[in-house]
Amino acid sequence: MKILVFGSNGLVGSAVKRNLTNQHEGMNLLFSTREDTNLFSFNETKRTIESFGPNVIINAAAKVGGILANNTHRTSFIMDNLKINLNILESCIDNSDIKIINLGSSCIYPLNAPNPIKEDSFMNGKLEPTNSPYAMAKLSAIELGSAMSLEFGHKIVNLMPTNLYGPNDNFSPLDSHVIPGLISRMNKAKDANLKEFEIWGSGKPLREFLYVDDLADAIDFIIKKDINDSLINIGSGEEISILNLAEKIKNILNFEGSLVFNNDIPDGNPRKLLDSSLINSYGWSPTTDLDTGLDNTFNWYLQNS
């Protein structure tokens, strides 16, 4: 088997690289980055795919960010992700033997979808407005993949992971997701001996988090078991408020200041818990609890920041 991974330097791609390298010694693997392939170019994307001739493509390439980045850079979030997904999928139209595992996001689901959110909530309501451009790009990729499957017989598995975190995440103070953002900003507050730390929003929203190496394990599981459902949720099944999450991180960092809230920054969806019973029914479940994952992530941050 030959597996091609796009976006192998990112959070998900680097975890997939660790997993596949450890689990499949001797397998023909290509870990593509922007150094070898400009995914905004159809010709470069198609050339990489045709020259390697993969049996499986894992699309982990994306422009990603937290709520502030999504809500601020709305145009680039939809345009960049549309280009990436369109070029990869269009490059595969003539070869339906390639199985494509496409990484989406739980933000594709409607704002008012019942929790836990099932796969059949797909395209069933209005999106949460702060990240709707990113969600629309992911929805378009799913719809294009569905069209290719129906018209040409492609096997395209769209994975909808919950909020991810872990090694090699983006720890930018402004453009990151919640966990790396809290870690980097709170660590700077600790180093500066600040008495207060500001949390964006009210701290009340409930979120589900998944350690990225567990997602990589789920991808490997899907390849080994030859699972071909078109849409699969991947979550931990546990949720926590942003306030309680911040308190956990505060304890890990030994930050002694108090937590305050900035209600001028939107909370986003008040609750978002995935129903992962489909992937669980095949025999997969995550193995990394939140406390362990946060410890691992903070240690990686200290060693690499």
Side-chain angles (χ1 to χ4, degrees), residues 129-198:
T130 60
N131 59 10
S132 57
Y134 179 75
M136 284 299 300
K138 293 298 184 180
L139 287 166
S140 298
I142 297 170
E143 190 66 16
L144 176 56
S146 177
M148 290 170 58
S149 297
L150 290 171
E151 187 172 356
F152 303 114
H154 290 75
K155 291 182 179 179
I156 301 177
V157 180
N158 297 284
L159 303 185
M160 300 302 118
T162 191
N163 300 285
L164 299 169
Y165 71 101
N168 210 42
D169 208 339
N170 171 19
F171 289 85
S172 162
L174 294 178
D175 295 333
S176 59
H177 288 110
V178 59
I179 286 179
L182 285 173
I183 287 174
S184 63
R185 293 194 303 114
M186 196 180 296
N187 194 61
K188 288 180 173 63
K190 175 188 173 183
D191 290 344
N193 293 316
L194 297 183
K195 302 301 182 184
E196 292 184 342
F197 176 77
E198 180 183 275

Side-chain angles (χ1 to χ4, degrees), residues 24-59:
H24 299 279
E25 185 177 353
M27 181 178 286
N28 200 344
L29 305 169
L30 176 59
F31 300 107
S32 176
T33 71
R34 64 186 64 185
E35 299 295 325
D36 60 74
T37 307
N38 175 15
L39 292 176
F40 293 155
S41 165
F42 172 75
N43 290 332
E44 286 194 32
T45 305
K46 189 173 179 66
R47 183 167 61 246
T48 295
I49 293 171
E50 289 184 342
S51 62
F52 184 63
N55 304 105
V56 176
I57 291 176
I58 300 171
N59 177 20

Side-chain angles (χ1 to χ4, degrees), residues 175-241:
D175 295 333
S176 59
H177 288 110
V178 59
I179 286 179
L182 285 173
I183 287 174
S184 63
R185 293 194 303 114
M186 196 180 296
N187 194 61
K188 288 180 173 63
K190 175 188 173 183
D191 290 344
N193 293 316
L194 297 183
K195 302 301 182 184
E196 292 184 342
F197 176 77
E198 180 183 275
I199 299 173
W200 296 348
S202 67
K204 296 177 182 178
L206 297 173
R207 291 291 183 268
E208 177 188 26
F209 295 97
L210 182 71
Y211 190 59
V212 70
D213 286 69
D214 283 335
L215 173 61
D217 181 67
I219 292 170
D220 185 44
F221 181 88
I222 287 166
I223 293 171
K224 288 177 178 176
K225 299 292 184 181
D226 195 25
I227 295 168
N228 292 301
D229 297 80
S230 63
L231 193 66
I232 305 176
N233 290 340
I234 311 289
S236 64
E238 299 180 358
E239 57 187 344
I240 186 173
S241 72

Side-chain angles (χ1 to χ4, degrees), residues 214 217 284-289:
D214 283 335
D217 181 67
W284 179 87
S285 60
T287 59
T288 309
D289 62 78

